[in-house]
Structures are given as C-alpha cells and as structure tokens.
Amino acid sequence: MSMKYLWLIGLISFGFYGALQAQLYEVKEATVNFRSDAPLELIEAKSDALRGLIDGEKRTFAFSLPVTAFEGFNSPLQRVHFNENYMESKQYPNATFAGKIIERIDFTKTGRYVIRAKGQLKVHGIERERIIRSELEMKNGSLHVSSIFTILLAEHDISIPKIVHQKIAEEIEVRIQATFVPK
Amino acid sequence: MAKTPLLLTALSLLLCFSLMAQEDDLLSLLGEEEETTEYANASFKTNRVINLHSLESTSAGVLDVKISHRFGTLNRGAYELFGLDNASIRIGTDYGITDQMTIGLGRSSYQKTFDGFVKYKFLRQSKGKKVMPVTAAFLATTAVQSMKWQNPDRENYFSSRMYYTFQLILGRKFNENFSLQVSPTIVHRNLVKTANEAHDVYALAAAGRIKLTKRVAINAEYIYVLPDQLLPGFRNSLSIGFDIETGGHVFQLHFTNSTSMIEPGFITETVETWGNGGIHFGFNVSRVFTVVRPGIQ
C-alpha cells in the first residue's frame, strides 16, 4: 500500500468533514408563540428558548424547546397549571420536532422557499408524525424560518377536565419565527 | 515518517465517521441545553396548609380571596347536625406585592378579630445552576380582637386587644407528590387572663402534603406548644384535610380540633381534642383574581 493513497484518503475525509461542518445551520434567535382560543378564554404564551439545527445538504432538521420556558398566560397560576397539570414538564421537559424537508431544493442559495417539513413531533412525551408547511428565506447568509401550525391536545394525551372545557381550546395554534446562521 | 500520515488518516477518518454518525440524529447534536435555575413551585396548592401558612406565597399581582368556615364539633350529635348548626367564619384577602412578598387582611367571627400579615419568602428551593435545598419564609402577623370589654368599669387599654405572631417557615418539596415544612413560632399576647400563662408562647409546627392526583392532595398539620406555657385544658392543634383544585379555585376541606383560623387562636386557644370527637369539620375556599396581568415581553 502506497503512502500516497493514505494521504489522499486523509485529505478527502478532512474535506468531507469541512463540508459537513459548513452545511449546518443553527438557531440564533427564535420566538415560539402559542394560542389557545376557547369560547370563554384566550390564552397566549411565548418562549425565546427554541434551539434548532438544519442540515443544508441532507435537508434534515431538529428542534427542541423547553416547555417551562413559556411565559405569558392570563395569570401566574395558569402557568403553574400548564406545567403541572397539562404538559407535566417535570416528566417531559422538552417538546421536539425532528425529520427531513420533503422538497429537494437547495435553500442555501439566496431566495424564498415554501417547504414541507416531515418528521416526528414530540409533545408531552408522545410522538406524532407531522408534515408542517414552513417558509424559508435565505438572505445574507442567514436563514429565516416561519411557520404556523396547530397541535391537537388529544393527539398528545393532554386531557382537559370537563370543568375547564370552555376555557381551553382542543386545538392549539403555534407560531414559530426563527433565524438560523451557519454553525 | 510513515507514521504521521497514517495517524492523520486514522484521525480524520474517525472524526468524519463520528460526525456522520451524529448526523443521523440531529436532535442529539443539539446537545444539552444551557443550565438554568429551576425553582420548585406548587409545593402546596395554596398559601395555607389548613390553618397554618404554607411556604407558598401569592404570585405578584394576584388577589386571593379566602372564605373559611369551621363548624361545631362532631360530638354535638345529630341534634346540632354534628356541628353544622354552628360556624366560625373568617373572611380574608391576600395580595402578592411581588412573587416573594405577600400581605393579607382578615376578619374572624371568633372573638371578632381583625388580622393582618406580611409574609416574605427569602429563600427559594431550586436546582440547576443555583442549588438551594429549602424554601424559607418569614411571617409576621398582628391580630386585634374587638370584643366588648368584659370589665368595662376598670381601665382598659387598646393594646390589651393585640396579638403578634412571628413564624419562620422552612420547607421542601421532596418530589412531585410530597412536601414537608416546619415552622418555629412565637405568639405574643399582650394580655393574658392569669399570671400562670405566658405572654410569649413558643411552638413548633409541622405540616405536609401528599398529592393524590393532579388536582387533589391530602394535607396534615400539627402544632406542638412547648410545655408549661398554657393553662391545663389547652391542647395542641391537629388538622387533616384535602385540597381540591379547579382552575382558579382551591377548595380545602378538613377536620381540625381548632375553632380559630388565625395563629393566636389555633396555636394558644385550642380546647377540643380528637380523642372525644371534639373535631370540627371545616373548609377554606380560595379564589384568585389576577389584578396585574403578567405581560408577554
């Protein structure tokens, strides 16, 4: 075995390593809002604690959000109940979404794209396969992602007692705005 | 010389493969999130255990209206519907100035007493970045009884109506279902009936709760009054009850041998005993109103 090949393999793998590195985008700043619009009460909360990665080459992505970071609500007690009784955040601290972008496009080039993100959405410890429509915009090397989707509480085993049925929506609207920069 | 490229190749291959392996699971590549301080909350359902103050405080900007009843004793029998014909009442409101500072006012039918308190939580149980094993709060209360003077002919002073309580509350939420607290207490009474009674009464209170379901918990509290301070016939207070929480309300249903719902009363003036059925059924209803809404920044 010649020395040359070894050098070559070494170089190639180094190059590959470099390429992999360059394709990763990481959340720089993000806001996640949710809205429960029930007949008797509107509940809104917000968090800035979203973390996420997108791989530009493989078109895979992963998001994670600590549930306790949500702020807002109509009263401090409501926030306690949200964590204690509904999300059980001690037991299920993070909500996650990980998977792959369906469209075969190169969004690393400047422009706007509408894509479908297919993956496993884990909320309250229960995973559901979801396809979530999102808008991507690549501008000046950073990637802006925005998306609006809904989560059905029943799909994630979050039960609402009868007594508060009129105050908590069965379907929760989630809005995400995130800016990604190369990692 | 041959070793260098070999080593380099091996290293870079390793690096490359390890990275590829991780790529399969971007989620794990996200890594651990930054460590934050996580404060224990909801150690008790509300800021009272039964009669005692719990280590919880009212959140900032929240008004907590409490209506409490203690009925007569169960041993009165069917003629008085096991005590339900009589009721001792306290109506009160608590307000959270900050998340740590709570103030409150109340009026009890027992000896027509007005009371006020300030409670300050100076340590919060936490884990993560900042570790604190216990929650600690300081409680100071004042009570003024407004009964007509028993002896109107003699010179009576307003100060004779005053009672003060100072209490340190130390507690810990051991896990999601179990919380325990102890409260060393001093009750000062400006006027006592006989020279054998102490003006300053020292007591040690203990209270705990076990969560049964998400919305129901069982509470118990016991107050040990140190010996030789009260006249014979006064007892230690023991109470057991359930907390039922429904959104903005907390219903506390309990059995206790105390009639009064404020510290000088239930700590130093409890006369009934559990042994002979001197047990009062009672309840506290707490309803919270958000006065200042927490905004989304």
Side-chain angles (χ1 to χ4, degrees):
Chain A
M1 178 115 151
S2 154
M3 201 76 76
K4 276 182 210 159
Y5 291 117
L6 274 178
W7 274 109
L8 206 63
I9 294 169
L11 266 170
I12 288 170
S13 32
F14 247 135
F16 196 26
Y17 172 68
L20 275 176
Q21 282 289 72
Q23 289 296 329
L24 271 186
Y25 292 85
E26 189 180 32
V27 166
K28 195 177 106 203
E29 50 185 23
T31 55
V32 180
N33 288 276
F34 80 73
R35 192 180 148 93
S36 156
D37 197 350
L40 290 183
E41 191 166 357
L42 171 70
I43 302 170
E44 287 178 295
K46 183 190 142 188
S47 167
D48 299 330
L50 181 75
R51 296 174 312 128
L53 285 173
I54 296 182
D55 185 327
E57 182 157 317
K58 290 183 167 172
R59 308 189 324 280
T60 55
F61 61 85
F63 291 92
S64 178
L65 177 67
V67 177
T68 48
F70 274 107
E71 285 179 338
F73 302 96
N74 294 326
S75 72
L77 190 67
Q78 200 168 62
R79 185 179 172 194
V80 171
H81 290 167
F82 168 78
N83 284 305
E84 270 242 313
N85 299 344
Y86 297 96
M87 299 301 288
E88 301 181 83
S89 347
K90 276 266 160 60
Q91 229 174 317
Y92 314 109
N94 295 305
T96 59
F97 184 45
K100 194 163 180 176
I101 295 164
I102 295 175
E103 283 74 15
R104 295 185 169 275
I105 51 164
D106 182 9
F107 55 81
T108 56
K109 282 185 280 188
T110 301
R112 285 176 77 102
Y113 312 91
V114 175
I115 56 102
R116 289 167 297 163
K118 182 180 173 182
Q120 297 290 330
L121 176 70
K122 189 157 136 189
V123 175
H124 191 235
I126 308 264
E127 279 197 343
R128 293 283 168 199
E129 184 164 278
R130 294 286 302 264
I131 296 174
I132 291 171
R133 219 181 86 107
S134 307
E135 274 181 33
L136 307 186
E137 188 182 8
M138 178 57 87
K139 214 166 88 182
N140 307 326
S142 60
L143 183 65
H144 303 274
V145 177
S146 60
S147 181
I148 302 174
F149 61 97
T150 57
I151 294 176
L152 273 172
L153 294 186
E155 280 195 349
H156 293 276
D157 273 10
I158 300 169
S159 55
I160 307 168
K162 268 219 177 79
I163 197 158
V164 288
H165 244 297
Q166 297 279 302
K167 295 187 173 181
I168 299 173
E170 286 166 31
E171 204 176 26
I172 306 297
E173 186 189 272
V174 180
R175 285 164 185 267
I176 290 180
Q177 293 275 355
T179 304
F180 287 77
V181 290
K183 193 179 176 175
Chain B
M1 278 315 276
K3 269 181 190 161
T4 322
L6 200 76
L7 205 73
L8 257 175
T9 311
L11 257 176
S12 43
L13 267 173
L14 211 80
L15 211 62
C16 180
F17 282 130
S18 67
L19 211 82
M20 276 171 74
Q22 277 181 339
E23 283 279 292
D24 290 336
D25 190 2
L26 266 184
L27 256 185
S28 65
L29 205 61
L30 272 176
E32 285 300 300
E33 62 190 284
E34 211 180 305
E35 201 177 33
T36 52
T37 306
E38 197 187 316
Y39 292 102
N41 58 20
S43 307
F44 289 86
K45 294 265 184 219
T46 176
N47 63 3
R48 300 298 203 288
V49 182
I50 290 168
N51 289 318
L52 281 174
H53 272 268
S54 75
L55 56 84
E56 293 294 337
S57 42
T58 307
S59 300
V62 172
L63 186 75
D64 184 349
V65 177
K66 288 179 188 291
I67 298 178
S68 311
H69 278 59
R70 300 292 180 270
F71 295 101
T73 53
L74 298 182
N75 59 10
R76 302 265 178 98
Y79 180 67
E80 292 200 32
L81 202 59
F82 304 96
L84 293 188
D85 287 353
N86 298 302
S88 162
I89 302 167
R90 179 177 181 272
I91 298 170
T93 53
D94 300 348
Y95 183 75
I97 306 224
T98 67
D99 281 342
Q100 272 81 51
M101 169 91 82
T102 308
I103 57 168
L105 288 171
R107 164 64 160 73
S108 302
S109 62
Y110 177 80
Q111 293 184 347
K112 305 194 185 301
T113 311
F114 293 87
D115 69 274
F117 75 85
V118 180
K119 183 155 112 182
Y120 183 68
K121 204 193 257 194
F122 58 92
L123 287 181
R124 288 189 290 167
Q125 184 187 336
S126 64
K127 62 179 187 185
K129 211 168 173 180
K130 213 173 97 188
V131 178
M132 176 56 61
V134 293
T135 296
F138 183 73
L139 171 76
T141 82
T142 304
V144 183
Q145 60 99 336
S146 64
M147 301 277 279
K148 285 183 183 140
W149 295 114
Q150 280 183 342
N151 237 329
D153 302 331
R154 76 172 191 191
E155 197 175 354
N156 288 299
Y157 302 99
F158 181 77
S159 61
S160 307
R161 301 182 177 280
M162 309 279 287
Y163 299 81
Y164 305 95
T165 307
F166 301 99
Q167 190 168 62
L168 181 69
I169 305 166
L170 288 169
R172 177 172 165 82
K173 184 180 191 180
F174 286 88
N175 57 46
E176 276 307 287
N177 299 320
F178 180 60
S179 309
L180 194 68
Q181 63 170 50
V182 289
S183 324
T185 309
I186 304 171
V187 179
H188 176 82
R189 308 178 289 175
N190 269 353
L191 183 69
V192 287
K193 286 204 176 82
T194 67
N196 291 335
E197 290 171 272
H199 284 279
D200 290 316
V201 177
Y202 296 86
L204 186 65
R209 78 118 194 217
I210 295 167
K211 214 166 132 184
L212 300 176
T213 71
K214 278 181 200 166
R215 290 171 186 83
V216 179
I218 182 164
N219 289 344
E221 63 178 45
Y222 181 71
I223 300 136
Y224 173 72
V225 179
L226 273 70
D228 304 325
Q229 302 185 91
L230 303 177
L231 293 180
F234 288 105
R235 320 282 179 155
N236 292 334
S237 172
L238 171 67
S239 317
I240 295 167
F242 292 94
D243 282 5
I244 301 160
E245 170 216 293
T246 62
H249 285 92
V250 178
F251 296 94
Q252 300 185 293
L253 309 175
H254 34 249
F255 293 98
T256 171
N257 60 337
S258 301
T259 308
S260 172
M261 287 154 268
I262 56 171
E263 287 73 14
F266 66 83
I267 296 175
T268 68
E269 293 169 14
T270 293
V271 290
E272 273 93 20
T273 66
W274 278 68
N276 61 11
I279 305 163
H280 305 263
F281 173 64
F283 64 79
N284 305 340
V285 177
S286 150
R287 165 76 213 185
V288 292
F289 299 93
T290 308
V291 180
V292 183
R293 271 184 60 154
I296 296 181
Q297 306 85 348

